Amino acid sequence: MNNAAQVIKTSEPVQGREIEQHLRDQVAACTLMLNELKIMGYSGHVSARLPDGRGFLIQSVDQSRASLRPELLLICNMDGYLLSGPEGLRPPSEVFLHSEIFRVRADVHSIAHFHHDRSAVFTLADGPQLAPVKNHAVRWANGIPVHPNPNHVNSPERGSALAATLGQAHAALIRAHGQVVVAESVPGVLVDCVHFVENAEAMYDACMLGRVLPLTAEEIASFGEDIKRTKHINKLWTYYVGRALSMGLVPEAWNLEAKLQ
Ligand SMILES: [Zn+2]
């Protein structure tokens, strides 16, 4: 082994620990905020990919989404097996939803799975399919696929099938069950969850008034050019973190900068 390789090896763990702690703070805060916004509810989970192929962070099956803390998060590998975490805590049964998407989508660094009724209703009727109707829903211009199997994603096979349904999309509906939103970061997942639910609720309301007019290809292309995604994520993450701090939902001590070190 040459010296350069040794230097890299000895410097990695320190940086890795800092990033892991930052991700822990972000995942816990994101979960608490999604719960407070009534997007997450009593079940569902947010995950974040750890650097250097070290697996991903996810909460345990029993921990309340209303009181999650960074130190309670587990580390699982891409087979969905528990690598480390507080004694006695187990991964959620749907851990394979996360592991199998992370396995095949290198661009995805954070995943949220939740069970939002107004979004799920689009899988329950022989009516309009959920489509981008609001400007920020251009994020889903390449589709919102519907996974046909409503079962819990509680095996590698079911996780792999869901990942195949998701394909290169940024969100999917699971029929009669829930939603999956994927993004490049935890702040990105929070912002996308907010806009995903906004869009579903707006489309539901529009359905009450008449024939829905989804965004046209021209409108999607035009608005897509206007949006500066990183800037928009930073703006909304800062807003929701500020809101959470003022409510006492998260402590000042957590590192909730949008960008990782
Ligand atoms: Zn579920």
Side-chain angles (χ1 to χ4, degrees), residues 43-45 94 97 113-115 152-153 174 177-178:
S43 64
H45 5 79
E94 295 197 283
L97 176 154
H113 172 49
F114 48 98
H115 312 98
H152 281 111
V153 188
I174 304 174
H177 173 165

